[in-house]
Amino acid sequence: LPLPKEQRLRMAKLPAAHAWVYANQLDRVILAADRPRFGIIVSGQAVQDVFEALKALGIDAATANALGLVIYKVAMPWPLEPRRLREVCGGLEKILVLEHKRPLMEGQIKTALFNLGDRQRPLIIGKSDEHGRAFLSQTGTISIPEMARALARFLPAGWDRHKADAYFAMTEGNGHAAGGSRQVPLRS
């Protein structure tokens, strides 16, 4: 972009978009906890999918609250509004970013939270885990079983895993590999 256009984008348009999202509270907590410790960040179809995956694991609102689980819904994934994100995520232990296909929000979240102090900055897991290994699919939508498996790995101990174990046995037994992802059909 020519310099004046780039300056207008960086100095006026992006800050205006951030301010509009913040002022209108478009990005918001959709599942709160009394003592938040762990966050899940979702957008679009992943909003509905995360609740379906939690239900499959047997995690209801009371269990989520006991675990300190917070779900943050992002209405506009780009440009991601950083101020409310920092307000919600600052002080959490870990965050799981659940987004279908390529990681659009994950890098922005890492950038937005990078300068928080050591005790405020959470560990961020998404397409890769805390060791840099592949964690979630980058090429297709994340199936409910794959999302449930990621949640089971992400969540702390302290919840009854019997329903989750039964769910995984059922999905794997029916040929729905819990580690696989649904592929988006190509149009010809």
Side-chain angles (χ1 to χ4, degrees):
L1 291 173
L3 185 59
K5 287 184 180 182
E6 181 72 18
Q7 287 175 327
R8 184 167 179 242
L9 173 68
R10 300 279 177 209
M11 306 307 276
K13 288 184 174 189
L14 291 177
H18 290 159
W20 185 78
V21 169
Y22 188 86
N24 290 288
Q25 300 179 23
L26 298 181
D27 296 348
R28 64 188 187 282
V29 172
I30 57 173
L31 181 68
D34 295 334
R35 286 184 216 93
R37 295 177 54 209
F38 304 95
I40 299 172
I41 301 177
V42 291
S43 183
Q45 179 62 41
V47 174
Q48 180 180 343
D49 293 349
V50 73
F51 284 105
E52 190 174 332
L54 287 169
K55 182 178 178 183
L57 295 175
I59 297 176
D60 58 13
T63 304
N65 185 45
L67 292 171
L69 185 61
V70 174
I71 299 178
Y72 184 67
K73 177 184 175 185
V74 173
M76 187 172 74
W78 194 92
L80 187 69
E81 193 285 307
R83 186 166 43 157
R84 184 160 283 114
L85 178 73
R86 284 191 288 266
E87 291 170 4
V88 171
C89 296
L92 295 178
E93 294 173 32
K94 289 196 300 189
I95 293 172
L96 176 60
V97 182
L98 292 173
E99 54 187 329
H100 293 296
K101 301 180 185 174
R102 66 185 178 90
L104 180 61
M105 296 186 300
E106 189 175 340
Q108 295 178 87
I109 291 166
K110 289 176 179 179
T111 298
L113 301 180
F114 181 78
N115 286 326
L116 293 177
D118 288 341
R119 293 185 177 188
Q120 289 291 305
R121 187 177 48 250
L123 176 66
I124 301 169
I125 298 169
K127 299 299 183 182
S128 59
D129 67 11
E130 61 271 28
H131 305 291
R133 294 184 300 248
F135 191 70
L136 292 168
S137 173
Q138 294 192 33
T139 57
T141 58
I142 302 167
S143 68
I144 300 301
E146 181 184 9
M147 191 174 287
R149 177 122 1 242
L151 287 166
R153 288 177 54 197
F154 170 78
L155 293 172
W159 56 282
D160 183 356
R161 289 173 127 37
H162 287 93
K163 189 169 182 182
D165 292 340
Y167 174 74
F168 294 135
M170 179 199 63
T171 57
E172 290 168 3
N174 287 333
H176 300 290
S181 63
R182 297 179 301 219
Q183 296 298 317
V184 177
L186 298 174
R187 293 185 182 180
S188 50

